[in-house]
Amino acid sequence: MHFKLLLSVIFLLTLNEGFCRTAQEWKSRVIYQLLTDRFAQDESHSTHSYSGCGGGNYCGGTFKGIINKLNYIQDLGVDAIWMSPIIENTPGGYHGYWAKNINNINPHFGTSQDLKDLVNACHQRDIWVMVDVVANHMGYPAGCQGPGCSPDKRDNFTGFSPFNSAEHYHKYCDITNWSDQNQVHLNHIIL
């Protein structure tokens, strides 16, 4: 099943409570939004420097790193965290929004067990966990994060899962003039 991971995460996040929280209950929470890769490294990255992690590079933040900072989060008065997407991403997708395989946890962040440990550690402190899920797009094929991607590269979805064929996507239209509002609208909205 293509959405097995997504359903597993949703189940995992509600497992300890046995039900989903209502919008009204969430309104009572102080939510801390964090970008997993940029938030906290774990002890295995203790010698890694953040100085080289600009742009599209991963910086080493992990689920274990978040666990190690739960005292900090709780001391802020926070009782819920909103995590960036956790699925495997294409190169440069440290933020979690360039999905490559929706069935896999991003190995840069840790393992499925590390995620379970994080959720359990949060629930032990009465910290609720929300995971950002991107349902309307996948990442870019390798080498196509910017303008000028060649047709043979932009239509190569090898390694994507489950959407691994160009037929799963709308026609690609390169915007050549961002000042032309008509071109921006036609290329991004209609196609």
Side-chain angles (χ1 to χ4, degrees), residues 27-68:
K27 287 179 183 180
S28 70
R29 292 289 168 154
V30 176
I31 302 171
Y32 187 98
Q33 185 177 17
L34 58 89
L35 191 63
T36 301
D37 180 65
R38 299 299 201 250
F39 183 70
Q41 300 172 342
D42 63 43
E43 56 279 347
S44 69
H45 293 88
S46 61
T47 59
H48 178 80
S49 167
Y50 277 104
S51 64
C53 72
N57 299 324
Y58 280 90
C59 292
T62 65
F63 302 135
K64 288 181 180 180
I66 297 169
I67 292 171
N68 293 339

Side-chain angles (χ1 to χ4, degrees), residues 61-135:
T62 65
F63 302 135
K64 288 181 180 180
I66 297 169
I67 292 171
N68 293 339
K69 295 291 186 180
L70 287 178
N71 284 337
Y72 165 77
I73 290 172
Q74 206 160 29
D75 288 346
L76 292 172
V78 170
D79 53 10
I81 61 171
W82 173 5
M83 297 172 54
S84 55
I86 59 171
I87 58 178
E88 182 181 359
N89 272 231
T90 59
Y94 67 89
H95 41 65
Y97 295 95
W98 290 351
K100 178 179 180 181
N101 187 330
I102 66 172
N103 298 306
N104 292 341
I105 297 289
N106 190 327
H108 292 278
F109 304 156
T111 65
S112 296
Q113 186 59 52
D114 295 338
L115 177 60
K116 291 175 189 176
D117 293 345
L118 170 59
V119 171
N120 287 329
C122 286
H123 287 178
Q124 288 171 1
R125 296 167 177 262
D126 194 32
I127 297 174
W128 297 358
V129 179
M130 177 179 4
V131 176
D132 204 341
V133 176
V134 180

